[in-house]
Amino acid sequence: MTVPRHDSGELAGFDDEFGIDPEPRQRDKPGPGEHSARTERKYVDVLEVTRSLSSTLNVTKLLNNVVDGIIRVTKCERGFLYLKRPDGTFLRHIGRTAERMDDDQGDISQTIVNRVVEQGKPFIEPDLQRVDDLNSGSIHKHAIRSAICLPLVYKDEFIGVIYADSHFVVPDVLESDHSILEAFAAQAAVAIENARQHGELRSSRNILEEQNISLRKQLSKEFVFSGMVSKSKEMLEVFETVEKIASHDINVMITGESGTGKELMARAIHERSSRSEHNFETVNCAGIPEGLVESILFGHAKGAFTGADQDKRGVFEIADGGTLFLDEIGDMPLLIQPKILRALQDGEVRRVGEERVRNVDVRIVSATHVDLSRAVAEGKFRQDLYFRLNAAKVSLPALADRREDIVPLSEFFLRRYAEERNEPLATLSRGAREVLLAHSWPGNIRELKSAIEWGIVFQDDNHQIHSDQLRRFFRQGGPEEARIGGIEDGMTLKSKLLEYEERLIRESLMQNNFNITSTAKVLEISRQQLHNKIKKYRISTRHE
């Protein structure tokens, strides 16, 4: 590095605050009065610099203040600051000139720095020509005439050095001034370490806060994600996948057994996308008569067929700008599939009985419980449409494969039922939990929800659901058969009628918010008769 020299022997452009007058390279020694004035001024400089060091905890700003301070106090041309790294080496952090310009060249006397590091003592020399063993090497090469290097020590630990030099003799740096410079270095070390610790503390706090936020997010994912409840690793991975793909405007295919929550997942994707302010429309492709599929999807013109007494938009138009969920897409008629493909490729639909082409912008989320790749191989589903729909895939595991979610899901359904009906919260007995955990769940979450609702109907006076009622639900084949009730061994007509009567009274009470008068009216019996039967079956009337 070649440090800029001033051929005129003067320093140009120095700020007045540094108190440097353009002078020849060596100035006459000051007289006693002048020396006293310089010392006093130096104390003032140190005091002001110290204030600047204590005024900030920003490490970068502080290090700049330290280097600017050593230049101001010593009247040198430039200054550098080196800090010790954990491995024992020193890294230069700041290099500045008196004009507060960055000095990135860093051609300093490494010999002087090494001497200070080894001895731990300051090096202060206003005229290096007086030091025989230093008047060579980089000092001679770069014409360094004055140099100051101060150790930075904090609680007996060497943390770095401050270095300053000039191309001229600096008479301000006198023997009597050394204590001032050492005081400055000590204050700088304290300020640097305080700023470091503050930065580390702030960083630790930020990290801790990020961890807490992450933990809160993780815990929230373990319970509710857009109406879906899970704490299993498999479902949490699904939730993370949905979070990532939702914001990307690509079509998504959801696979999984019936009852695993595919529509809820599709809605979660919509809610987390840029289309969330627009419509979310749902079509169950398996539940539409084949002759009406095209009209429902694309709409129809008035008079297009018998019963078409007015123009009607299809779901593609209704979902324009939003998301269309095509459930059980594998049941889509083969003849309709090319028109869906056109809507996806070209963004165009045509209503039945109309020639006009309408533009639509729809994101498709589809769902199926069948193997569409096999359907493609068998010629039952178009390959090009399959690839269009399957830009991203989400696979929902069966409830039997995530048994750790059974109890949390059950408790979620219990809470939601109580909140919606404004009723006391029902709970599961230990036996009821064991029954739920032992079941195979062929109907997945949909079956679990039905089982919980059935159990609520038959909860005891303490609002607890017991194992016997849940076993009865499963033994009788699910909600529909349990509603009617199967015939068990040894069951008489009388016992069957009593069982049915009890169930009917319980359900009627719940449907009428436990209002005795309304329930009696629905059952077409008197209030007294209803009271007698409630007592007979030990039914809780907590809302009476």
Side-chain angles (χ1 to χ4, degrees), residues 227 264 411-422 425 449 453:
L264 282 175
E411 293 174 343
F412 171 76
F413 291 138
L414 290 170
R415 288 194 302 272
R416 189 168 69 177
Y417 192 96
E419 291 169 0
E420 290 176 352
R421 303 293 183 93
N422 194 27
L425 177 65
K449 184 173 182 292
E453 291 177 346

Side-chain angles (χ1 to χ4, degrees), residues 116-117 120-123 149-153 158-162 182 185-186 189:
V116 171
V117 171
K121 297 179 180 180
F123 177 92
C149 188
L150 307 173
L152 295 173
V153 180
F158 199 101
I159 65 171
V161 297
I162 309 172
E182 291 175 16

Side-chain angles (χ1 to χ4, degrees), residues 158-169:
F158 199 101
I159 65 171
V161 297
I162 309 172
Y163 174 94
D165 66 15
S166 292
H167 290 88
F168 56 85
V169 172

Side-chain angles (χ1 to χ4, degrees), residues 370-425:
V370 301
D371 186 351
L372 280 188
S373 59
R374 177 178 296 181
V376 170
E378 294 174 351
K380 298 178 181 178
F381 201 87
R382 290 180 63 105
Q383 186 179 57
D384 47 6
L385 178 58
Y386 172 71
F387 288 138
R388 279 281 177 178
L389 296 173
N390 198 29
K393 186 175 182 179
V394 175
S395 298
L396 299 183
L399 183 57
D401 296 330
R402 37 183 285 223
R403 292 189 171 275
E404 59 266 53
D405 290 341
I406 293 173
V407 172
L409 275 167
S410 301
E411 293 174 343
F412 171 76
F413 291 138
L414 290 170
R415 288 194 302 272
R416 189 168 69 177
Y417 192 96
E419 291 169 0
E420 290 176 352
R421 303 293 183 93
N422 194 27
E423 296 179 2
L425 177 65

